[in-house]
Structures are given as structure tokens and as C-alpha cells.
């Protein structure tokens, strides 16, 4: 037999059910720099921005997505950025100031004498009749060449015009061990020199975003037979269907390099140019495996967009997942379960032995047992029927198999924290509702480290959402919320021209 019971899926359902009972955690925002007024104002509006995000982003689904990667991969990377899409999110009409350069201060002489400091336009200064020296008309002190100031020209608002702007959203995608490539020796994102997110996408999706690269992308070979690429395709294919549409996809890579990565370039001239152009780090994109096509690049730090989350602490980057200890139990249960099935079929009716002079084996094999039928036999002289056949002794299922099948649940509770009280059923030895609630709270203590990592990760994602909102949105954003009475109420987020940044907890 090759029948398997998917215990790991049941354990995952228990874990996600437990994490949902505590609800979606919120965040508190503070200024990134408490001495800057724009950061203080950004922190004040941060709560309003997240209230808006809750109307367009399913934070519960995002939280469960993080917890799913915690359970299966042991690592989850969140990638948050602002994406414009007029088809999905529409277009807004905003008013832009029309500015023109104008002379805001004529050329003239600036008096540097203490208590004066007057600015006198050219042609309006005094002149000493005896020496011909130019003098300040206010304090009558001499003016020199260093007192002369060129005309000051500044952009002045002369009107307003309407402009159509594509709307966008703050998007967060989650990636696990199959898509995330980080240095295995680093303990956290701060100590990672680089990061890569690698996925499979259709060529049309790449061309729609990078239209100028259409010819190069179309000429790429679709088939990428590297192990990681094939693993991602199999993970997304229906069960037992193989790689569905594998030839229609190409590998799409997004890279982040810190400045220290440039020191791996031996050509000092090229290295210095990169350091000068990207002093904080570089983000670039490629498509294809063995012969990639370069798409674009710009300056960006990893911390600006990426959030690294892991459920358990450990040495190195790829720490254990929550369900890692369940894999040997699952594999052993597969064998034990199939041994029990085979024992039920084959050991339930033991093998028989017959005397070939009394019974013909093929005749018995071809006979179906039915009530009320007779089978004629002829016993040789001196033989009894009871002496002409026998049956081998057998046991239905071995005791060790039975014992193991009974140990699966207790082992899962110890190793994975999937306590019985978290399965949703009544607790037989607890009669009161408060007692059952207390028992479940005690069982949830096993999930405290992973839940704390989820809370911290969600706060960092919301921090990046707020900062992306502050940097990319228009001055006014309207949205609707449901009040306590169940009615809809419209709210407005007003952003100042000088937009700061926040930190979330």
C-alpha cells in the first residue's frame, strides 16, 4: 500500500487556528528622528495611514502567510513597495504649482558692519567726494568688492495646473526559502551583504513593465532546469501534475547589494564609479538563468523595503521551521500506517497448507466460498480430514506498529506544540468555559516565540507601508471606514509638503 495520512497538514491547521485566536496585532509609530518636525508630524499621521491600509490590505491573511512560512520554511522575507497601476487603482487629478524663476533680490551691496547689515541695490550707494569710495547710505561706512552680491533668483509660484497621476498601493509580498537567497552565515539582515528574490514569471509580465527590453526578453530561452527553479514550479503545480506550463516561464531576479560588495571588483576604476554612484547600496533586476537580461538599477538599501522574519533563534540564516520536527514523524507514520493496512488484509486470513492427495490446490483457489454448497473430496485409506490440512499462525498487526500509531499524537504535542486543547474540541476534564479558556491560554504559551516574531515582523512591514505612503502619495487621500454604529464615514489623510519618516513597534 502507498496510502498516507497528511498529519503535517493537520498540525499546521491546529497552529494557524491557535494563532488566529489572538487577533491581528497593531503598531505604534514614533519619529525616526525625534528632533525633526517633519518626522514628528509623520508619526502623528502614521495611525491614520494604517487605518486606511486596513481598508485595502488583508492583514489577517498577511499574518497567516508569515506564520505559514514559519511552519514550513523557517524563514519569511517581506518585500514592501509602492506600485502604480492605473488599471487596478485608477487615476487622480491633482493640482501642481506652476513655478517660474524670478529675481527676488536685485544685485547690490551688503553692509557687514555690526548693527547695520543693510542691503543697498546697485546705483543707490553713497560715494565719498574726496576719495571716490563707495559707502553705505545707512551707516556711511565704506563698501568693498566683497560686499557686492549677485542677484538672487528663485522659483516663484505663478499659478496652478491640473495633472493626471496614476494611483498606486503599498504592496507586501512574502517569500520563503525557495525564493529567498541570503548568505547562510549571516544571523540577520543587518549582517547580510546581499539578498536575492528569485521567482518564475511569464515573459509577457516582464515585457509589460520593461517595454524597452522586449526584444531581449523574447529571445531568452524559457526552460530553466536549475534545481531551485524546478522546485518552485513543482511547489506551485497541482498534486501529481508535474510542472504545469514550465516552458512558458522565465526566472525573474531582484538583487540588493550593500556597498561592501563592490570591493569584490578587482578593477578599481569600475569599483570607484559604483561606490560613487550607489553609496548606500544598489538594487537591480534581471531575467533569465544562464544568460540573464539586465532590466534596471537604482540606489536602494535593503532595510528600505525588506523585512526578514524567523520563528526561532539560531546560528546562521536558515533556522529551523516550526514543523521541521514533524517530518520524521510523518515519514515514520507513512510506513506504520501502510504496515497496518497490509496486516489487515494479509494477516487477517493466515496462509493455509493442504494435502495434495486430498485437495487440489487450483480447485480450491478457483472456488468462491458460498453458503449451502458442497465440495466433494476423497480421503485416501487411513487418513482423516483434520490431518489433511492446517493453517499457519499469524498476527493481524504487530504490537510495535500499534504502539507507534498511538504515539503519533503525543509526540506531535511535545515536539510541535499542537496541544489537544488547541484542536477546538471540548476538554473532558474541564467543565467551565473559563477553565477551558485558561487551558487554551496555557497551551498557547508554546507559540509565544513564534507569535512574538510575527508581531515584530508585522510592525516592521507596517512601518515600511507608512513610509512608502508618505513618500509616494498625493497631498490628500480620502477613504471610508465603518464606525461603531455600522455606518460608513469618510476620512482624509493630509500630508505636509515636507514628509518625514517613522519607526514602528
Amino acid at each position: 500500500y502507498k496510502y498516507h495520512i497528511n498529519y503535517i497538514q493537520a498540525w499546521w491547521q491546529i497552529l494557524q487556528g491557535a494563532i488566529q485566536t489572538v487577533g491581528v496585532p497593531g503598531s505604534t509609530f514614533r519619529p525616526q528622528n525625534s528632533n525633526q518636525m517633519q518626522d514628528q508630524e509623520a508619526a502623528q499621521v502614521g495611525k491614520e495611514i494604517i487605518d486606511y491600509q486596513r481598508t485595502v490590505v488583508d492583514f489577517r491573511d498577511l499574518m497567516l502567510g508569515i506564520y505559514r512560512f514559519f511552519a514550513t520554511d523557517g524563514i519569511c522575507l517581506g518585500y514592501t513597495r509602492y506600485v502604480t497601476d492605473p488599471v487596478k487603482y485608477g487615476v487622480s487629478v491633482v493640482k501642481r504649482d506652476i513655478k517660474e524663476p524670478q529675481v527676488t533680490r536685485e544685485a547690490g551691496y551688503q553692509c557687514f558692519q555690526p548693527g547695520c547689515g543693510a542691503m543697498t541695490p546697485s546705483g543707490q550707494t553713497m560715494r565719498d567726494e574726496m576719495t571716490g569710495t563707495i559707502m553705505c547710505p545707512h551707516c556711511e561706512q565704506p563698501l568693498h568688492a566683497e560686499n557686492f552680491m549677485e542677484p538672487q533668483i528663485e522659483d516663484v509660484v505663478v499659478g496652478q495646473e491640473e495633472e493626471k497621476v496614476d494611483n498606486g498601493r503599498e504592496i507586501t509580498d512574502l517569500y520563503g526559502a525557495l525564493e529567498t537567497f541570503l548568505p547562510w552565515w549571516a544571523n540577520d539582515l543587518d549582517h547580510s551583504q546581499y539578498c536575492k528574490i528569485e521567482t518564475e514569471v511569464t515573459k509577457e509580465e516582464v515585457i509589460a513593465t520593461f517595454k524597452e527590453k522586449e526584444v531581449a526578453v523574447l529571445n531568452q530561452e524559457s526552460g530553466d532546469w536549475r534545481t531551485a527553479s524546478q522546485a518552485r514550479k513543482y511547489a506551485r503545480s497541482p498534486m501529481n501534475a508535474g510542472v504545469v506550463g514550465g516552458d512558458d516561464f522565465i526566472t525573474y531576479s531582484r538583487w540588493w547589494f550593500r556597498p561592501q560588495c563592490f570591493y569584490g571588483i578587482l578593477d578599481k576604476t569600475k569599483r570607484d564609479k559604483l561606490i560613487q554612484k550607489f553609496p548606500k547600496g544598489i538594487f537591480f533586476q534581471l531575467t533569465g538563468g544562464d544568460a540573464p537580461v539586465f532590466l534596471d538599477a537604482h540606489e536602494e538599501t535593503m532595510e528600505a523595503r525588506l523585512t526578514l522574519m524567523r520563528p526561532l533563534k539560531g546560528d546562521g540564516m536558515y533556522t529551523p521551521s516550526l514543523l521541521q520536527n514533524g517530518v520524521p514523524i510523518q515519514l515514520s507514520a507513512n510506513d506504520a500506517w501502510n504496515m497496518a493496512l497490509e496486516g489487515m488484509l494479509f494477516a487477517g486470513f493466515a496462509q493455509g497448507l493442504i494435502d495434495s492427495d486430498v485437495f487440489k490446490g487450483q480447485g480450491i483457489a478457483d472456488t468462491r466460498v458460498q453458503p449451502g454448497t458442497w465440495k466433494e473430496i476423497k480421503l485416501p485409506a487411513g487418513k482423516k480430514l483434520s490431518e489433511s490440512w492446517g493453517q499457519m499462525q499469524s498476527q493481524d498487526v504487530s504490537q510495535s506498529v500499534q504502539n507507534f500509531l498511538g504515539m503519533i499524537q503525543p509526540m506531535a504535542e511535545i515536539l510541535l506544540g499542537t496541544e489537544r486543547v488547541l484542536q477546538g474540541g471540548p476538554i473532558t476534564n474541564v467543565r467551565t468555559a473559563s477553565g477551558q479558556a485558561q487551558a487554551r491560554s496555557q497551551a498557547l504559551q508554546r507559540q509565544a516565540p513564534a507569535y512574538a516574531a510575527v508581531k515584530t515582523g508585522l510592525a516592521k512591514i507596517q512601518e515600511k507601508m507608512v513610509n512608502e505612503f508618505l513618500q509616494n502619495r498625493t497631498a490628500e487621500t480620502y477613504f471610508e471606514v465603518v464606525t461603531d454604529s455600522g455606518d460608513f464615514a469618510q476620512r482624509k489623510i493630509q500630508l505636509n509638503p515636507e514628509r518625514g519618516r517613522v519607526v514602528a513597534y
Side-chain angles (χ1 to χ4, degrees):
Y1 281 110
K2 292 185 179 180
Y3 297 140
H4 302 325
I5 296 178
N6 195 341
Y7 289 99
I8 282 185
Q9 185 178 59
W11 297 330
W12 157 234
Q13 290 175 344
I14 295 171
L15 291 179
Q16 72 171 341
I19 205 71
Q20 285 191 75
T21 62
V22 294
V24 179
S27 298
T28 301
F29 301 94
R30 73 164 179 82
Q32 194 173 82
N33 185 343
S34 58
N35 295 324
Q36 292 187 0
M37 181 62 68
Q38 57 265 37
D39 285 10
Q40 296 175 16
E41 294 174 349
Q44 292 174 1
V45 79
K47 175 65 166 58
E48 298 177 22
I49 294 175
I50 287 302
D51 286 345
Y52 159 76
Q53 297 290 1
R54 290 181 183 275
T55 66
V56 295
V57 177
D58 187 349
F59 281 102
R60 173 188 165 279
D61 183 69
L62 188 63
M63 182 181 73
L64 290 181
I66 296 171
Y67 208 71
R68 195 263 289 187
F69 281 121
F70 279 9
T72 59
D73 293 37
I75 187 171
C76 179
L77 187 72
Y79 177 34
T80 306
R81 72 276 188 206
Y82 180 77
V83 178
T84 58
D85 191 331
V87 177
K88 287 184 179 179
Y89 312 127
V91 177
S92 295
V93 178
V94 298
K95 292 183 178 181
R96 302 286 190 189
D97 291 336
I98 302 174
K99 296 182 179 181
E100 292 181 357
Q102 292 185 4
V103 177
T104 57
R105 189 188 68 187
E106 300 290 344
Y109 290 86
Q110 179 80 47
C111 182
F112 298 149
Q113 293 297 325
C116 182
M119 178 70 186
T120 305
S122 299
Q124 299 182 21
T125 56
M126 294 176 58
R127 187 178 294 273
D128 189 307
E129 295 181 357
M130 300 281 297
T131 63
T133 303
I134 298 174
M135 302 177 65
C136 174
H138 300 279
C139 64
E140 298 183 356
Q141 294 297 317
L143 298 173
H144 306 284
E146 60 267 21
N147 293 98
F148 181 76
M149 300 294 174
E150 297 289 344
Q152 183 174 332
I153 301 176
E154 296 179 356
D155 289 335
V156 178
V157 177
V158 296
Q160 286 188 327
E161 63 180 354
E162 291 186 346
E163 179 183 358
K164 288 186 177 181
V165 178
D166 292 342
N167 292 337
R169 290 267 178 88
E170 292 72 34
I171 304 296
T172 297
D173 290 325
L174 302 177
Y175 301 96
L178 284 177
E179 299 89 6
T180 302
F181 296 84
L182 287 154
W184 55 266
W185 60 86
N187 282 331
D188 49 43
L189 194 64
D190 292 339
H191 294 88
S192 300
Q193 295 182 354
Y194 63 86
C195 177
K196 178 174 71 165
I197 296 175
E198 189 174 84
T199 57
E200 270 62 48
V201 299
T202 61
K203 288 184 175 181
E204 295 80 8
E205 187 175 351
V206 177
I207 294 172
T209 305
F210 304 95
K211 299 178 177 62
E212 69 280 4
K213 304 289 184 178
E214 179 175 358
V215 175
V217 173
L218 285 175
N219 290 334
Q220 281 190 306
E221 294 185 4
S222 298
D224 188 350
W225 297 103
R226 292 177 301 161
T227 302
S229 175
Q230 291 300 300
R232 288 191 294 270
K233 292 173 183 176
Y234 273 108
R236 286 164 173 75
S237 299
M239 188 178 296
N240 301 323
V243 179
V244 178
D247 294 337
D248 298 328
F249 292 84
I250 55 175
T251 301
Y252 169 47
S253 304
R254 285 165 283 194
W255 285 89
W256 287 263
F257 278 177
R258 295 194 187 277
Q260 55 262 42
C261 291
F262 299 145
Y263 289 93
I265 301 173
L266 300 180
D267 189 325
K268 191 174 184 301
T269 303
K270 291 182 179 180
R271 179 204 308 165
D272 291 343
K273 287 183 178 179
L274 285 170
I275 294 175
Q276 184 178 6
K277 189 172 184 180
F278 307 106
K280 295 181 180 179
I282 184 175
F283 167 76
F284 62 95
Q285 304 181 83
L286 309 171
T287 62
D290 297 330
V293 172
F294 174 80
L295 298 175
D296 70 351
H298 59 263
E299 186 179 37
E300 183 174 293
T301 63
M302 283 194 272
E303 285 74 17
R305 302 286 175 81
L306 301 181
T307 304
L308 178 64
M309 298 160 281
R310 291 170 298 178
L312 303 173
K313 293 290 185 180
D315 295 327
M317 179 58 62
Y318 295 93
T319 52
S321 67
L322 297 179
L323 293 181
Q324 180 171 312
N325 286 334
V327 174
I329 303 178
Q330 175 72 69
L331 297 177
S332 302
N334 293 346
D335 292 338
W337 180 250
N338 286 290
M339 290 172 65
L341 291 176
E342 291 178 1
M344 183 173 62
L345 177 64
F346 297 109
F349 301 92
Q351 188 175 8
L353 303 175
I354 58 175
D355 187 336
S356 60
D357 291 334
V358 178
F359 301 96
K360 296 299 182 184
Q362 189 61 41
I364 293 178
D366 294 339
T367 300
R368 184 180 181 90
V369 177
Q370 295 180 1
T373 60
W374 293 88
K375 187 79 173 179
E376 293 185 358
I377 61 172
K378 184 176 182 180
L379 289 173
K383 281 194 175 182
K384 297 180 179 179
L385 180 60
S386 60
E387 297 173 347
S388 301
W389 68 278
Q391 193 171 25
M392 300 180 66
Q393 296 295 320
S394 64
Q395 187 175 354
D396 189 358
V397 182
S398 70
Q399 191 63 41
S400 59
V401 172
Q402 296 180 41
N403 292 341
F404 180 80
L405 291 174
M407 288 165 53
I408 291 175
Q409 177 66 23
M411 284 192 294
E413 292 179 3
I414 294 173
L415 297 177
L416 308 180
T418 54
E419 304 289 342
R420 291 181 185 271
V421 296
L422 299 179
Q423 297 178 23
I427 308 170
T428 55
N429 60 340
V430 180
R431 299 299 182 186
T432 63
S434 60
Q436 296 206 13
Q438 181 180 2
R440 289 193 175 92
S441 296
Q442 291 173 346
L444 280 172
Q445 291 177 5
R446 287 289 304 273
Q447 309 305 317
Y451 181 63
V454 170
K455 289 200 300 182
T456 303
L458 271 179
K460 293 302 178 184
I461 288 174
Q462 291 183 359
E463 171 188 307
K464 292 172 176 59
M465 283 184 171
V466 170
N467 287 328
E468 288 291 308
F469 187 102
L470 289 167
Q471 300 305 313
N472 297 285
R473 294 285 186 148
T474 57
E476 295 180 344
T477 299
Y478 294 89
F479 66 102
E480 288 186 336
V481 296
V482 180
T483 63
D484 294 337
S485 62
D487 298 326
F488 285 98
Q490 190 177 69
R491 292 184 182 175
K492 181 181 75 170
I493 300 175
Q494 182 72 47
L495 301 181
N496 293 329
E498 296 294 330
R499 304 181 185 185
R501 300 184 69 84
V502 301
V503 177
Y505 294 94

